[in-house]
């Protein structure tokens, strides 16, 4: 199984809502990532988990809260988002936590904040 | 992190070979060159990775000159389904989790 799955595929939420994005992989990868991608822009790294510990937070606002319950799961909790947070949110995983390696990306969650 | 520069867009006819060149002048000794492909509304997909000279897999070749300040992704006999954005990245071999995506090259394959 070389797949990273993400749910939901689409999410529409109001600025006062609380929602969560879910990511799952069963490749035994030890590193997992969240990226944000705005339309016609490249993906931007948000968070990195290595061995279930948060290792990188790229100055992301606190309204985004990541969680790694176990080595296969990665969540992104959303609260009090702004319309400018509307984007494609991508999850990725890799076998090694650094160096030469291939990241496997999920299909993304298309988030719209009203 | 080494910065990469690549053309914003390219057009090609079906069946032609496409070469996309990427410049990475400040690449470090331990860094690897990596290319990803992305279709609209999908996650990027790893294509190929190399350190020097030439690397080939079932979908592409990667040519890296001796000074490693640039690299060329070669896609043989492209088809309409190869229309996508192609990202060149430099991956720190010494130990970084980060993939820093540049602007990418939008390849349009024309029938």
């Amino acid at each position: 199984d070389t797949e990273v799955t993400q749910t939901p595929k689409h999410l529409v939420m109001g600025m006062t809502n609380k929602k969560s994005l879910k990511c799952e992989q069963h490749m035994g990868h030890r590193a997992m990532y969240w990226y944000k991608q705005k339309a016609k822009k490249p993906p931007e790294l948000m968070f990195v988990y290595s061995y279930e510990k948060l290792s990188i937070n790229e100055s992301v606002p606190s309204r985004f809260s990541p969680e790694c319950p176990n080595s296969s799961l990665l969540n992104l909790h959303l609260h009090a988002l702004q319309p400018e947070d509307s984007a494609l949110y991508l999850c990725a995983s890799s076998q090694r936590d650094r160096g030469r390696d291939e990241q496997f990306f999920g299909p993304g969650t298309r988030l719209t904040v009203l | 992190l080494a910065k990469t520069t690549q053309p914003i867009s390219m057009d090609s006819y079906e069946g032609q070979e496409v070469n996309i060149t990427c410049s990475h002048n400040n690449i470090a000794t331990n860094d690897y060159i990596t290319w990803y492909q992305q279709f609209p509304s999908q996650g990027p997909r790893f294509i190929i990775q190399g350190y020097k000279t030439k690397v080939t897999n079932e979908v592409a070749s990667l040519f890296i000159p001796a000074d490693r300040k640039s690299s060329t992704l070669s896609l043989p006999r492209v088809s309409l389904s190869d229309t996508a954005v192609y990202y060149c990245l430099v991956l720190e071999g010494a130990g970084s989790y980060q993939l820093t995506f540049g602007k990418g090259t939008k390849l349009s394959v024309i029938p």
Side-chain angles (χ1 to χ4, degrees):
Chain A
D1 182 3
T2 58
E3 190 179 17
V4 175
T5 59
Q6 289 187 244
T7 55
K9 285 187 168 44
H10 301 274
L11 179 62
V12 179
M13 61 186 291
M15 289 189 284
T16 58
N17 291 157
K18 285 186 181 181
K19 296 285 185 184
S20 296
L21 309 185
K22 180 179 286 187
C23 172
E24 195 165 358
Q25 59 90 11
H26 295 287
M27 294 176 277
H29 289 175
R30 308 311 300 185
M32 297 185 76
Y33 313 77
W34 280 114
Y35 291 83
K36 174 183 177 179
Q37 186 173 27
K38 302 281 278 184
K40 299 191 185 305
K41 297 290 186 184
E44 296 178 8
L45 182 67
M46 300 174 72
F47 302 104
V48 180
Y49 272 83
S50 176
Y51 292 89
E52 301 166 43
K53 287 185 171 44
L54 183 63
S55 58
I56 291 181
N57 175 342
E58 289 289 348
S59 302
V60 179
S62 60
R63 57 186 184 269
F64 295 91
S65 175
E67 179 196 17
C68 189
N70 60 54
S71 59
S72 300
L73 284 174
L74 187 65
N75 297 322
L76 186 62
H77 302 298
L78 314 173
H79 174 55
L81 294 193
Q82 303 297 311
E84 59 264 29
D85 296 321
S86 298
L88 181 68
Y89 287 85
L90 295 162
C91 173
S93 69
S94 62
Q95 184 172 17
R96 290 168 48 174
D97 58 355
R98 59 187 62 217
R100 178 185 180 185
D101 201 7
E102 171 185 349
Q103 288 192 15
F104 291 78
F105 284 81
T109 293
R110 175 73 61 189
L111 174 67
T112 302
V113 182
L114 301 176
Chain B
L1 294 170
K3 183 182 175 183
T4 59
T5 303
Q6 51 184 124
I8 292 176
S9 64
M10 293 181 69
D11 293 336
S12 175
Y13 287 102
E14 273 192 295
Q16 289 190 328
E17 178 184 77
V18 170
N19 296 310
I20 307 174
T21 297
C22 177
S23 168
H24 28 78
N25 290 321
N26 58 339
I27 190 170
T29 303
N30 294 325
D31 292 350
Y32 288 85
I33 297 137
T34 309
W35 287 79
Y36 281 78
Q37 174 194 56
Q38 187 176 27
F39 298 111
S41 296
Q42 293 187 26
R45 182 177 73 102
F46 174 90
I47 301 175
I48 198 165
Q49 185 177 77
Y51 182 78
K52 63 179 179 180
T53 61
K54 178 183 175 182
V55 179
T56 297
N57 61 23
E58 62 275 10
V59 298
S61 294
L62 179 60
F63 299 92
I64 306 167
D67 67 5
R68 303 199 331 119
K69 292 185 184 301
S70 67
S71 59
T72 299
L73 174 73
S74 181
L75 304 172
R77 298 180 301 281
V78 294
S79 64
L80 295 176
S81 61
D82 293 315
T83 294
V85 177
Y86 292 82
Y87 293 101
C88 166
L89 301 94
V90 171
L91 187 63
E92 288 189 12
S96 168
Y97 307 91
Q98 295 180 254
L99 285 185
T100 301
F101 286 82
K103 293 185 167 63
T105 297
K106 174 73 166 68
L107 172 66
S108 298
V109 179
I110 307 162

